Amino acid sequence: MNPSLKSFNTFGIQVYAKHIAVIESAQELLAAWTDATSNGQPAILLGEGSNILFLKDFDGTVIVNRIKGIQITEQDDSWLLHVGAGENWHQLVEKTLLQGIAGLENLALIPGCVGSSPIQNIGAYGIEIKQVCQYVDCIDLNSGQAVRLDNEQCQFGYRDSIFKHADYKHYAIVAVGLKLAKKWQPVLTYGSLTQLDPENVTAQQIFDSVCEMRTSKLPDPKVTGNAGSFFKNPVITAKEAQELLIHYPHAPHYPQIDGQVKLAAGWLIDQCQLKGHQVGGAAVHQQQALVLINEDNASSADIVALAHYVRQQVGNKFNVWLEPEVRFIGSTQEVSGLETIA
Ligand code: NAP
């Protein structure tokens, strides 16, 4: 009987792999990869499976990264953290705060592990990991060599980095280096954080507010399967935004430094009256329309059909075409999420 991947993906989709290898060091990772792929068999690397949708059974080995360890070095003006890729992200945020190290509080409760955080440049409540990431340590799976990429080499973008590009798919992340300045600046631009007093606020208060906001509207994957925001917030040209705002003056919109305008995908979906909309066992979350949930034993086909429907409804109403943020895994490798739901 092939092992189940249900507990290895936060959507909770019941699919199977031929093998699952849980690794705890860079050496184990390389050995597991070499072993799994030696006779041309497919293999993929997985963290906590919090941003993926398995479309089918995986016809090879799933290598689960559980490399642990947090080393903290104090400098005059900053804290340097070297963190194993398999550490849980939220636990890292908690641990740093407990030690009086601020800077990660806005990123509380983001599901997933530290090694996955640079891949999509995780961001929330006005902070992205690119602002604190000093380097990413990888193993080049083709050569077996250790490679360190500095912040610039990671080419961080909106929910994007070099690790998503085809040429870097053979880089396995084994550790992440973070630099947190001792001269801490609170970031209070989002939601209820705007009500906090910038002169007196503590990192702990921000952490508490972020946890409160997130738990009030985002489903806990331990209770209801989901992979966080299913779609990216669309970024459109200023001209397109102007036209949209003539018809929908209340549409939330956020001008970007490059002149483009970011829209809130959740708002667009909500305007199509899709909160709670169900296809099979999959549904649009009631509290946050950007999140698709596994309501009742959903299959990946249910989720794909729902995502397709949501994309069509939003596209037909606003002429804005949503793209998945979640990554899709086929039977042998990652496949295009956009092509799958289009
Ligand atoms: P929200 O407050 O309902 O706002 C909707 C969207 O508008 C957000 O996604 C955010 O874009 C944008 N936005 C809101 N205030 C903004 C501001 N002051 N400046 C610029 N953009 C602003 O969002 P939410 O769903 O509760 O999420 C809150 C934060 O957590 C967001 O940063 C969101 O990205 C993050 N989050 C991420 C995931 C994920 O799976 N990736 C899941 C849940 C929440 P941005 O997303 O670009 O920030």
Side-chain angles (χ1 to χ4, degrees):
M1 174 87 181
N2 286 340
S4 169
L5 288 165
K6 190 169 179 171
S7 62
F8 292 96
N9 73 101
T10 60
F11 251 129
I13 302 293
Q14 180 63 284
V15 281
Y16 298 86
K18 276 193 176 157
H19 307 284
I20 297 174
V22 179
I23 60 89
E24 294 183 358
S25 68
Q27 293 76 7
E28 280 182 25
L29 189 155
L30 186 57
W33 181 268
T34 309
D35 193 34
T37 57
S38 58
N39 45 7
Q41 292 295 301
I44 50 159
L45 300 169
L46 199 64
E48 293 185 16
S50 59
N51 195 41
I52 55 153
L53 178 64
F54 280 113
L55 295 174
K56 297 174 175 170
D57 289 343
F58 190 74
D59 197 18
T61 305
V62 173
I63 299 172
V64 180
N65 189 330
R66 291 289 176 268
I67 302 172
K68 302 282 188 183
I70 302 175
Q71 288 138 32
I72 301 177
T73 312
E74 183 169 4
Q75 290 198 320
D76 286 348
D77 61 345
S78 56
W79 299 96
L80 301 181
L81 277 61
H82 179 88
V83 190
E87 288 284 348
N88 174 270
W89 176 264
H90 179 68
Q91 284 172 11
L92 174 71
V93 177
E94 284 181 320
K95 276 181 192 158
T96 51
L97 280 183
L98 272 176
Q99 299 196 29
I101 301 173
L104 300 180
E105 54 285 342
N106 294 51
L107 303 176
L109 278 186
I110 296 185
C113 57
V114 172
S116 313
S117 62
I119 299 176
Q120 72 149 351
N121 181 22
I122 57 167
Y125 301 101
I127 292 196
E128 289 180 337
I129 193 168
K130 81 166 181 194
Q131 291 159 255
V132 293
C133 179
Q134 207 183 14
Y135 59 82
V136 177
D137 280 349
C138 308
I139 302 276
D140 177 341
L141 295 167
N142 290 345
S143 67
Q145 295 298 309
V147 185
R148 175 167 287 188
L149 271 67
D150 66 21
N151 183 295
E152 205 175 313
Q153 289 171 311
C154 290
Q155 295 181 19
F156 291 120
Y158 174 59
R159 302 283 185 267
D160 195 31
S161 74
I162 198 159
F163 304 107
K164 282 194 177 176
H165 300 182
D167 291 351
Y168 283 79
K169 291 271 167 75
H170 60 285
Y171 273 39
I173 296 175
V174 293
V176 175
L178 304 176
K179 183 173 183 174
L180 300 172
K182 285 186 177 170
K183 195 159 177 264
W184 173 68
Q185 293 281 354
V187 177
L188 304 172
T189 46
Y190 272 58
S192 60
L193 299 182
T194 54
Q195 283 145 40
L196 297 171
D197 174 5
E199 299 305 320
N200 295 306
V201 72
T202 64
Q204 185 63 44
Q205 283 169 331
I206 296 176
F207 174 89
D208 292 340
S209 295
V210 167
C211 290
E212 204 177 294
M213 282 190 280
R214 289 191 75 111
T215 45
S216 69
K217 58 195 248 193
L218 293 168
D220 178 354
K222 289 193 195 90
V223 180
T224 307
N226 75 89
S229 304
F230 193 89
F231 300 99
K232 292 183 196 175
N233 285 324
V235 179
I236 59 176
T237 64
K239 190 165 170 282
E240 288 166 337
Q242 246 175 11
E243 277 164 26
L244 187 120
L245 287 165
I246 292 171
H247 301 290
Y248 303 98
H250 301 298
H253 58 286
Y254 303 94
Q256 305 295 288
I257 29 180
D258 61 2
Q260 293 192 296
V261 179
K262 182 180 73 182
L263 303 175
W267 185 88
L268 299 171
I269 299 168
D270 195 11
Q271 291 302 301
C272 298
Q273 315 295 329
L274 288 173
K275 273 185 179 166
H277 185 84
Q278 246 176 294
V279 173
V284 178
H285 187 50
Q286 280 287 357
Q287 273 74 43
Q288 167 52 292
L290 195 47
V291 178
L292 304 188
I293 58 171
N294 177 353
E295 174 119 303
D296 183 17
N297 289 311
S299 64
S300 39
D302 293 341
I303 292 169
V304 168
L306 178 61
H308 171 78
Y309 184 75
V310 168
R311 183 171 189 271
Q312 290 302 320
Q313 294 295 305
V314 170
N316 291 339
K317 189 173 170 79
F318 296 104
N319 197 24
V320 171
W321 296 88
L322 298 179
E323 296 184 11
E325 178 178 309
V326 168
R327 303 174 74 180
F328 290 39
I329 313 292
S331 57
T332 59
Q333 60 183 349
E334 180 171 4
V335 297
S336 159
L338 185 53
E339 281 171 24
T340 307
I341 69 161

